Amino acid sequence: MLILPSARENTIASRAQGMDRAIGPILLLSASLLVIGWFSPMMTVNQFLFLEEQISVFDSLLTFAIHREFLLLVVVFIFSVLFPAAKIISSYLLWYVYDVTSDHFQKRVGVLQGIGKWSMLDVFLVALVVAAVKVSIIGDIYLHWGLYSFAASVLLAMIALSRLTTLAHRMAKRP
């Protein structure tokens, strides 16, 4: 049984009703799937019938560092690790910690929405890598559950963030 912390007074979590109470657990599930997606194989690339390599986000970051591809390292880190994690953590704080009657509440909601928009690049980045390898004449690509875990995390976080910001705007207007 999953035990969640009790929400502080005047938070969205303390005021949520019905299905909206699932936002917190959805964010926790999204965070778990994100970490699994970082370290699990996303794809296997076969080249020349005998060379096979499984790739995860973490493996890609290590490879970029070893080969001194620092621009790729920074781009992949920011859009596949930093922004998705920041979006989930910020959403969780907005859900369980921040007071809806606070003067800074709407500013926090705006920042979270901005992070959410930028973090959509993680989906684009994964799609670009898959498309690049798919069109390659040299190799074949096989997708693995790490990619699906990563994608599910992004999707769940998007759903939770969308509902969370709707509730935040509604509750901030009615203290």
Side-chain angles (χ1 to χ4, degrees), residues 70-112:
F70 297 118
L71 180 60
L72 289 173
L73 173 71
V74 169
V75 168
V76 171
F77 179 77
I78 287 173
F79 294 112
S80 293
V81 177
L82 189 61
F83 274 139
K87 178 173 62 174
I88 293 170
I89 292 168
S90 298
S91 296
Y92 194 80
L93 291 173
L94 187 69
W95 173 252
Y96 274 115
V97 177
Y98 297 141
D99 186 339
V100 296
T101 61
S102 165
D103 294 337
H104 301 291
F105 185 76
Q106 285 301 323
K107 184 183 290 188
R108 290 176 173 141
V109 172
V111 168
L112 182 59

Side-chain angles (χ1 to χ4, degrees), residues 116-137:
K117 290 176 185 175
W118 275 102
S119 73
M120 281 305 299
L121 287 175
D122 51 8
V123 176
F124 174 72
L125 187 65
V126 170
L128 187 63
V129 169
V130 170
V133 177
K134 278 279 192 195
V135 298
S136 173
I137 298 171

Side-chain angles (χ1 to χ4, degrees), residues 2 4 12-13 19-35 84-97 112 152-165 167:
L2 179 65
L4 299 174
I12 298 173
M19 292 295 290
D20 290 333
R21 297 179 72 81
I23 292 173
I26 288 171
L27 289 170
L28 291 175
L29 177 60
S30 178
S32 301
L33 290 171
L34 182 64
V35 172
K87 178 173 62 174
I88 293 170
I89 292 168
S90 298
S91 296
Y92 194 80
L93 291 173
L94 187 69
W95 173 252
Y96 274 115
V97 177
L112 182 59
S153 169
V154 171
L155 182 61
L156 287 172
M158 284 177 22
I159 291 167
L161 177 60
S162 174
R163 187 62 190 153
L164 185 59
T165 54
L167 289 172

